[in-house]
């Protein structure tokens, strides 16, 4: 008897048979009292699940705004005449002639230009800070030339080789030139930043003839942002190609560059704060002996540069022939 009491004290009520516990609980009414809150909570939880389903359905809605993407750069390598844009300012046209100077002849000319042109590194001033140009230059012409707050003195003493090259380019292009800016890019670290040859002394829509010798460098162009007045409907940069006598013209694979014009409709045409993000980019690898002509509204609507190169490059000489006007002549040009 004593052992039974001890077992009850140690093990509690659960030590007895299950059936006996259930019967005793039912008899005492304890089980019903304890189960009533649980049933109420279960019913509340069911109602909550009916109100808030466990699996929510999400519906994706595409943004209503038109997402603008920067256009892929276009590349020009084959010789031909390319109309790269048509805007109210006019047609921007470039003419690429690889091999304008024969390879053997170009090698000899390149060595002569390196040795006999009076190359000089000039200093620029920007925001009251002076820095050296990352290239060497020389100027030839009856008039001085001013760009980026830097003035190069008049130099009418043309080197005979430069005079011969000027005559050859004039015979081919049927344009006349009276001035020449020579650039020497000594290695891959030399460059010229984005700019346009649009100084007032060059007149409106100047023709620039760029002749290159030496290492191949990438000539890059980018479209200037359209002014605010072209907001409702404007033209995007387009490309058309025409053959010159004896020349083969290249055609871009992109159909959009074969169109003469395309209205953007409701797309925004103007850029804010000189934003070049969505402007068209053109890449032109310029080889030894290549002539590149920039005509029409190219200087008004486009910028160009020779960027620094990540790969090792030998020296490159670039001759840019142009026509300079005096102040009074520039107003009439």
């Amino acid at each position: 008897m004593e052992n039974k009491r001890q077992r009850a004290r140690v093990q509690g009520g659960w030590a007895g048979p299950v059936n006996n516990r259930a019967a005793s609980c039912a008899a005492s009414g304890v089980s019903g009292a304890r189960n009533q809150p649980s049933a109420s909570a279960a019913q509340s939880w069911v109602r909550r699940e009916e109100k808030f389903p466990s699996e929510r359905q999400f519906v994706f809605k595409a943004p209503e705004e038109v997402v603008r993407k920067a256009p892929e750069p276009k590349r020009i390598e084959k010789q031909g005449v390319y109309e790269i844009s048509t805007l109210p300012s006019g047609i921007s046209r470039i003419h690429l002639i690889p091999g304008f100077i024969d390879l053997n002849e170009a090698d000899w000319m390149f060595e002569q230009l390196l040795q006999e042109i009076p190359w000089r590194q000039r200093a620029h001033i920007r925001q009251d800070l002076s820095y050296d140009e990352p290239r060497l230059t020389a100027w030839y012409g009856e008039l001085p030339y001013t760009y980026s707050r830097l003035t190069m003195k008049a130099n009418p003493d043309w080197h005979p080789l430069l005079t011969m090259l000027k005559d050859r380019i004039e015979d081919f292009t049927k344009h006349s030139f009276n001035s020449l800016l020579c650039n020497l890019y000594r290695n891959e670290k030399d460059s010229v930043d984005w700019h346009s040859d649009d100084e007032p002394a060059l007149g409106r829509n100047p023709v620039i003839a760029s002749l290159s010798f030496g290492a191949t460098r990438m000539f890059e162009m980018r479209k200037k942002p359209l002014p605010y007045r072209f907001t409702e409907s404007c033209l995007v940069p387009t490309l058309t190609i025409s053959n010159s006598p004896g020349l083969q013209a290249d055609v871009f694979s992109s159909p959009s560059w074969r169109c003469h014009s395309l209205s953007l409709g409701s797309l925004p045409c103007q850029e804010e704060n000189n934003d070049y993000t969505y402007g068209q980019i053109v890449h032109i690898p310029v080889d030894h002996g290549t002539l590149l002509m920039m005509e029409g509204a190219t200087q008004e609507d486009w910028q160009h540069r020779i960027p620094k190169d990540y790969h090792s490059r030998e020296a490159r000489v670039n001759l840019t022939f142009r026509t300079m006007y005096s102040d009074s002549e520039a107003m009439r040009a």
Side-chain angles (χ1 to χ4, degrees), residues 210-230:
S210 175
L211 182 60
S212 297
F213 298 93
T216 299
R217 295 291 294 268
M218 187 63 70
F219 184 83
E220 297 183 355
M221 304 180 69
R222 69 177 181 182
K223 184 70 179 63
K224 293 181 181 179
L226 292 171
Y228 287 111
R229 63 177 179 273
F230 303 119

Side-chain angles (χ1 to χ4, degrees), residues 182-250:
C182 306
N183 297 280
L184 171 58
Y185 301 89
R186 296 160 292 183
N187 50 46
E188 68 279 0
K189 297 179 181 179
D190 279 358
S191 63
V192 60
D193 205 359
W194 291 112
H195 70 284
S196 297
D197 296 326
D198 56 357
E199 291 79 14
L202 295 174
R204 186 176 182 273
N205 291 344
V207 177
I208 306 295
S210 175
L211 182 60
S212 297
F213 298 93
T216 299
R217 295 291 294 268
M218 187 63 70
F219 184 83
E220 297 183 355
M221 304 180 69
R222 69 177 181 182
K223 184 70 179 63
K224 293 181 181 179
L226 292 171
Y228 287 111
R229 63 177 179 273
F230 303 119
T231 57
E232 296 181 359
S233 178
C234 58
L235 301 178
V236 296
T238 60
L239 175 72
T240 58
I241 304 172
S242 62
N243 286 331
S244 296
L247 296 181
Q248 298 292 327
D250 180 46

Side-chain angles (χ1 to χ4, degrees), residues 276-291:
Y276 285 84
T277 303
Y278 303 104
Q280 182 63 60
I281 301 290
V282 177
H283 291 171
I284 308 174
V286 184
D287 300 323
H288 188 41
T290 295
L291 176 64

